[in-house]
Amino acid sequence: MRRYAMFAVPALMAGSVLAWGAAQANDGDVLYVRGAMQQEINAATNELWDVGNNAMNDSGGLDPAQMDEAKWARLEKAALALKLEADKMATAGTIRAAAPGQEKVEEPGAYSMEDVQSYIDANPQSFRDFAAGLAKHAQAIAETAKARDAENAGLLVGEIDQVCEACHAKYWYPQG
């Protein structure tokens, strides 16, 4: 039975949320990736996984019998929130790995914020393209939730980890 990675992102990010403090994820046309991920992207993604994990059938998809109107609404709302934040990442004028004062913060097993910034600076359009892909995927989840399409919604929620990891592997975490 497939289980969504609902514990992976929170476990990896939890230690750094406190270090983030009250700084904003976005400041004008500047996107602070670490803050956006920890504050908005992580919350929306965890909400998607929460609904999906709690309405899972034996084969790992969404069980329509376990999906009531409230769960469909939560799924759609979380997907739209994820799309909104991913769109911000895809269209940001300036992309910074971390907010001022947080550039030297390091997480175990992750690149330093300085390294992340150098990877983003090397190809900011690629970063934006990954974010646009996440926005498109989130939009598809929202559409399937609105249509009450359990089969496709379950597949899309199950694939969100792969969409996220493609970008994380390039910009955030060391390769194997």
Side-chain angles (χ1 to χ4, degrees):
M1 177 171 17
R2 175 179 68 195
R3 292 282 181 211
Y4 305 129
M6 78 181 229
F7 297 111
V9 172
L12 293 171
M13 302 290 230
S16 10
V17 171
L18 295 176
W20 174 246
Q24 297 294 316
N26 288 323
D27 180 18
D29 198 27
V30 178
L31 172 82
Y32 298 108
V33 177
R34 187 166 179 245
M37 293 298 296
Q38 291 174 339
Q39 293 175 4
E40 288 89 5
I41 300 286
N42 196 30
T45 303
N46 284 333
E47 184 73 2
L48 293 172
W49 285 329
D50 185 54
V51 173
N53 285 335
N54 287 303
M56 191 182 297
N57 62 25
D58 290 339
S59 62
L62 283 183
D63 181 352
Q66 295 185 52
M67 292 295 292
D68 60 18
E69 286 304 309
K71 288 178 184 175
W72 283 117
R74 280 179 60 205
L75 194 66
E76 183 178 4
K77 182 179 177 183
L80 291 173
L82 181 59
K83 180 190 181 316
L84 175 68
E85 296 307 320
D87 280 337
K88 288 179 187 178
M89 295 174 89
T91 60
T94 302
I95 303 168
R96 295 284 171 250
Q102 298 293 314
E103 302 92 345
K104 301 223 183 259
V105 172
E106 293 189 30
E107 298 176 28
Y111 294 125
S112 71
M113 293 297 100
E114 291 169 328
D115 286 343
V116 170
Q117 188 64 55
S118 72
Y119 303 139
I120 292 169
D121 290 344
N123 193 344
Q125 188 55 50
S126 174
F127 180 87
R128 288 182 183 96
D129 292 345
F130 276 115
L134 177 60
K136 183 178 178 181
H137 195 86
Q139 178 65 40
I141 295 171
E143 289 170 1
T144 60
K146 187 173 185 170
R148 308 304 191 246
D149 179 351
E151 182 177 345
N152 286 316
L155 289 171
L156 291 166
V157 170
E159 292 170 351
I160 196 77
D161 192 48
Q162 295 167 337
V163 174
C164 294
E165 285 302 315
C167 184
H168 290 183
K170 183 169 183 172
Y171 292 103
W172 213 261
Y173 296 103
Q175 299 292 325

